[in-house]
Amino acid sequence: MEKEKLGNVLLYSMGRDDQPPSDEDGRLLEQIVQGCAEEEYHSRITESKNWTAMYQLAESRANLVEWLHLPKQAKVLELGAGCGTITSALLKKGAVVVCQEQNPHYARLNAKRHAQAADGQLAIYAAPLAQCEPYLDDDYDIVVSADVPIVEESAKELLCMIRRHLKPDGLLVLAAKNKFGLKYWAGNKEPYTNNYFAGLETAGVRLYSRERLKTLLAQCGFGQQEFYYPYPDERFALDLYSDKYLPKKGDLTYNITNYEDDRILLFQEQKVFDSIIEEGQFPFFANAYLCLASAQGEGIGTYRQEAVYIRYASDRSREHAVCTEITGHSVRKKAMYAQGEAHVAHILEAYQRLSRQYQHTDLRFNRCEKRLGEDGTAYAQFELLHAGALQERAGQAVEAQDWDKLFLILQRIAQYIKSGGRKVPFAVTDGFTQVFGKPAGVEALKQTACSETADIDLILPNILEDADGTWHVIDYEWTFFFPVPHNFMIYRTLFFLHHENPHREELSMERLLQWAQISPKEADVYAQMEEAFQRYVTGGLVPYREMVNLLERRFFNITELKADYDRVVAQNELLKGQGIWKAARKIKKKLTGN
């Protein structure tokens, strides 16, 4: 293989090819990598409305491995590295990385992207795996395979090859699509044939189910296995569940993710997921797997991960992007970027202020303490509470149409909001303007009651109820130290309840606002504040979840299509036996008399 050096990166290829790409996607990738800093990738991706750029460069692609705790200088082999988004996460952890990528253009962009890595920290092979395997070492601590197809036609050969290149106690980090993932039942196309239901019918490229993948791994020498479940799938994971922490009803709400193509919509995935969760079948129907596997021995023990659940709030500005990890005994919230360290410090201060402000009530705020990570960076650590979710209790009331029970819950939230601490008059402070802008009509709020410290996120998902009925606020990230109207906080609680139940007439925003005695004029100001707040959180970035719309992907609701078909049939029945022109002549005669 030929060797060249791009900055501090060694690039090996079957023949040097540094010609600019001829296709539009390739040229766009080149422009972004060579012309933008990494913090600018997000805005360039959404501006370009390009699926390839999103898949190759979106930061959330790295969420699969960002949470892993690896020893410094771990020797890592990454297969199918693409343009290097996961490579970035591994390098930030101090790993020494060897990448394999068969697309020479992608491999070169990876090298250019990381040209300033430490000398000797990154080498890249631009060749198919079979061609570069003879050049790979056989003592890697970790092999990461996040974008190599795990399909029946080639998986066994791939896994046996990986086993040969790992240390005896090495770890495999393997992402795989699930043959029986709910999204394929619901109307997403099978990924490798681009056909509906092909994987389920075994008429296309055959994916693996969880049990068959476990058996295959064991046959290839990976006897120890731990499974995680990336949600919505392995491409842009926002949550990673595990067998020790599975999703609860109401958790899985983000299911329209057909970035690559149109889809049909056979049923509401959230409701079906809720039923699956009730039956204890989520691992079977999860859309994808992330498996940590090693040989019989110390592999998984050597690289044991404490986290049993991980959530990424990565569709935000770098100042506000955080990762939440739940372990067997605590909850940790850490900044994803250096710019977010002040935000974590703000959470720690919010706990102190809110605890004092509500000390005369029976509302409790989950204890928060400062801790230091292995790299010396501070994170917020919370107590892991074992209590029921208030959202689930409210959801049960909605399902049972027990509106008295539901509104008692809402009344209690409103009472806490209004009774929290010394009341202060509303004022448009610099802090208010920075977060909420200058909404039209804000002057009318001058007589509105406020608290000195305002947790605007007192919504149902953020409150737990223990056995004796005490409420515990588990997330107070969005607390502000300037006057915010109580009614705005109540408005947000009602807004998100309505958002979860958009078709319930009893929970329309009009009815909820009447109940809370919030006038339409006042609500309009709060709606503007909410829009400005969302811009503040994202830093003006378009969230990646909006890319389905930006890419103009369509989803066809099968129920609506059937109703349209029935209307057409009914119209045809009216004209049956008459002929369209005969009917038209009759209409003309009635209108003109001729």
Side-chain angles (χ1 to χ4, degrees):
M1 281 194 172
E2 293 189 16
K3 179 175 72 173
E4 60 180 301
K5 198 166 186 180
L6 298 178
N8 291 327
V9 179
L10 286 174
L11 178 63
Y12 299 90
S13 62
M14 303 304 293
R16 181 164 178 167
D17 180 11
D18 53 5
Q19 295 299 312
S22 58
D23 63 297
E24 183 178 346
D25 289 350
R27 288 193 296 272
L28 176 62
L29 290 171
E30 184 100 29
Q31 291 168 8
I32 295 175
V33 170
Q34 300 212 136
C36 303
E38 288 214 5
E39 55 266 29
E40 299 173 312
Y41 284 9
H42 189 129
S43 59
R44 287 288 285 117
I45 291 167
T46 52
E47 287 169 8
S48 68
K49 304 177 185 178
N50 184 280
W51 159 240
T52 301
M54 180 182 178
Y55 188 75
Q56 288 297 329
L57 300 176
E59 302 93 321
S60 50
R61 284 273 289 123
N63 290 350
L64 280 176
V65 302
E66 191 280 336
W67 62 281
L68 293 172
H69 292 270
L70 307 180
K72 291 289 185 183
Q73 299 295 307
K75 188 174 179 180
V76 179
L77 171 63
E78 182 191 356
L79 304 179
C83 292
T85 299
I86 288 176
T87 309
S88 288
L90 295 170
L91 294 174
K92 289 172 185 175
K93 293 177 179 296
V96 177
V97 183
V98 173
C99 292
Q100 174 273 328
E101 169 54 49
Q102 68 178 9
N103 185 316
H105 178 54
Y106 289 179
R108 186 168 292 275
L109 288 178
N110 191 354
K112 292 177 179 178
R113 182 175 179 178
H114 300 108
Q116 301 305 313
D119 195 20
Q121 191 182 10
L122 178 60
I124 301 173
Y125 286 88
L129 184 55
Q131 293 182 12
C132 66
E133 187 198 351
Y135 300 93
L136 301 177
D137 294 337
D138 58 3
D139 62 347
Y140 293 102
D141 298 301
I142 299 162
V143 173
V144 175
S145 178
D147 197 27
V148 179
I150 304 301
V151 296
E152 190 166 294
E153 290 77 1
S154 59
K156 188 168 187 178
E157 180 182 357
L158 171 68
L159 294 173
C160 289
M161 182 279 294
I162 289 173
R163 184 70 195 91
R164 292 195 299 270
H165 291 282
L166 271 171
K167 286 181 177 178
D169 63 348
L171 181 72
L172 168 62
V173 179
L174 177 71
K177 304 177 190 298
N178 176 18
K179 173 188 180 74
F180 294 118
L182 187 66
K183 70 177 187 177
Y184 302 126
W185 299 91
N188 281 275
K189 293 180 180 179
E190 191 267 351
Y192 301 114
T193 64
N194 204 38
N195 292 323
Y196 294 111
F197 313 118
L200 298 174
E201 297 171 345
T202 67
V205 176
R206 297 193 65 180
L207 303 174
Y208 279 86
S209 66
R210 180 176 180 268
E211 293 307 311
R212 290 186 67 238
L213 182 57
K214 289 176 67 175
T215 300
L216 176 67
L217 285 164
Q219 290 173 347
C220 296
F222 295 99
Q224 294 189 10
Q225 305 158 10
E226 288 185 354
F227 273 76
Y228 291 78
Y229 308 100
Y231 176 81
D233 55 35
E234 83 292 351
R235 300 172 303 171
F236 307 102
L238 298 178
D239 302 84
L240 286 103
Y241 295 94
S242 71
D243 290 317
K244 296 177 182 177
Y245 192 101
L246 293 169
K248 303 175 183 63
K249 286 184 64 178
D251 284 349
L252 307 182
T253 61
Y254 180 40
N255 299 299
I256 304 299
T257 59
N258 52 302
Y259 306 107
E260 66 275 41
D261 204 349
D262 298 338
R263 62 165 291 185
I264 55 177
L265 187 67
L266 295 177
F267 50 75
Q268 294 186 41
E269 282 156 273
Q270 179 182 348
K271 291 184 177 180
V272 176
F273 262 133
D274 284 347
S275 297
I276 286 169
I277 289 166
E278 275 190 319
E279 297 293 333
Q281 297 299 317
F282 174 73
F284 183 84
F285 288 102
N287 288 326
Y289 304 124
L290 181 69
C291 181
L292 309 186
S294 70
Q296 296 289 351
E298 299 301 322
I300 289 182
T302 302
Y303 305 103
R304 177 71 62 185
Q305 305 299 318
E306 288 189 288
V308 297
Y309 168 72
I310 306 95
R311 162 162 285 187
Y312 285 96
S314 52
D315 255 358
R316 300 177 176 181
S317 69
R318 292 195 165 216
E319 289 79 11
H320 297 125
V322 295
C323 172
T324 302
E325 296 180 0
I326 295 180
T327 70
H329 52 81
S330 67
V331 181
R332 303 167 180 169
K333 195 180 288 281
K334 65 178 184 178
M336 293 183 64
Y337 307 99
Q339 298 96 313
E341 292 175 15
H343 184 58
V344 171
H346 179 90
I347 296 171
L348 293 162
E349 185 177 356
Y351 167 69
Q352 300 293 335
R353 293 198 187 196
L354 289 167
S355 296
R356 290 194 299 268
Q357 181 165 293
Y358 285 87
Q359 62 184 346
H360 66 285
T361 74
D362 59 354
L363 183 66
R364 298 290 175 260
F365 289 82
N366 193 13
R367 186 170 67 245
C368 179
E369 298 176 343
K370 179 180 178 180
R371 291 284 189 271
L372 293 179
E374 296 173 356
D375 60 356
T377 303
Y379 64 86
Q381 180 165 294
F382 305 83
E383 182 180 1
L384 179 61
L385 299 175
H386 299 283
L390 195 60
Q391 183 181 27
E392 186 171 347
R393 184 181 156 199
Q396 292 169 350
V398 171
E399 288 183 12
Q401 298 188 43
D402 189 343
W403 307 119
D404 290 340
K405 181 178 180 180
L406 176 66
F407 281 95
L408 280 174
I409 294 172
L410 297 177
Q411 183 63 44
R412 186 172 171 183
I413 293 176
Q415 287 174 347
Y416 282 134
I417 289 172
K418 293 177 179 179
S419 63
R422 183 172 65 87
K423 292 183 177 62
V424 297
F426 175 72
V428 180
T429 63
D430 290 342
F432 180 94
T433 302
Q434 179 186 4
V435 177
F436 299 111
K438 296 181 179 179
V442 70
E443 298 81 8
L445 302 181
K446 288 183 178 179
Q447 304 303 316
T448 304
C450 305
S451 296
E452 291 178 290
T453 299
D455 175 8
I456 71 167
D457 222 15
L458 280 173
I459 60 178
L460 293 166
N462 289 340
I463 303 173
L464 301 183
E465 182 178 46
D466 65 20
D468 66 4
T470 301
W471 284 10
H472 301 263
V473 181
I474 58 171
D475 191 349
Y476 35 84
E477 181 180 358
W478 300 113
T479 297
F480 298 108
F481 308 147
F482 52 77
V484 178
H486 290 157
N487 275 359
F488 174 65
M489 298 158 68
I490 295 170
Y491 169 90
R492 295 192 85 245
T493 304
L494 302 178
F495 175 82
F496 286 105
L497 174 63
H498 166 72
H499 182 71
E500 291 297 317
N501 301 275
H503 304 300
R504 292 277 188 181
E505 185 179 348
E506 298 85 354
L507 300 179
S508 69
M509 278 304 292
E510 182 180 4
R511 290 196 177 190
L512 291 172
L513 292 172
Q514 286 177 350
W515 171 83
Q517 297 182 330
I518 297 174
S519 70
K521 187 175 181 180
E522 187 180 357
D524 180 63
V525 178
Y526 297 149
Q528 295 175 64
M529 288 172 60
E530 179 63 21
E531 289 180 10
F533 170 65
Q534 294 300 332
R535 289 193 296 271
Y536 169 76
V537 172
T538 62
L541 296 174
V542 178
Y544 282 129
R545 62 179 176 270
E546 297 293 332
M547 280 292 284
V548 168
N549 298 323
L550 294 178
L551 292 165
E552 299 182 345
R553 302 304 189 214
R554 299 171 297 172
F555 57 95
F556 304 101
N557 188 307
I558 198 70
T559 304
E560 294 175 0
L561 290 175
K562 175 64 165 59
D564 289 342
Y565 173 80
D566 288 344
R567 281 193 293 271
V568 171
V569 170
Q571 290 168 359
N572 287 343
E573 285 295 323
L574 291 174
L575 299 173
K576 194 173 182 180
Q578 301 181 49
I580 188 66
W581 297 112
K582 186 181 292 185
R585 283 195 295 272
K586 286 184 178 180
I587 294 171
K588 180 184 177 184
K589 185 173 183 179
K590 285 183 179 180
L591 292 174
T592 65
N594 297 323

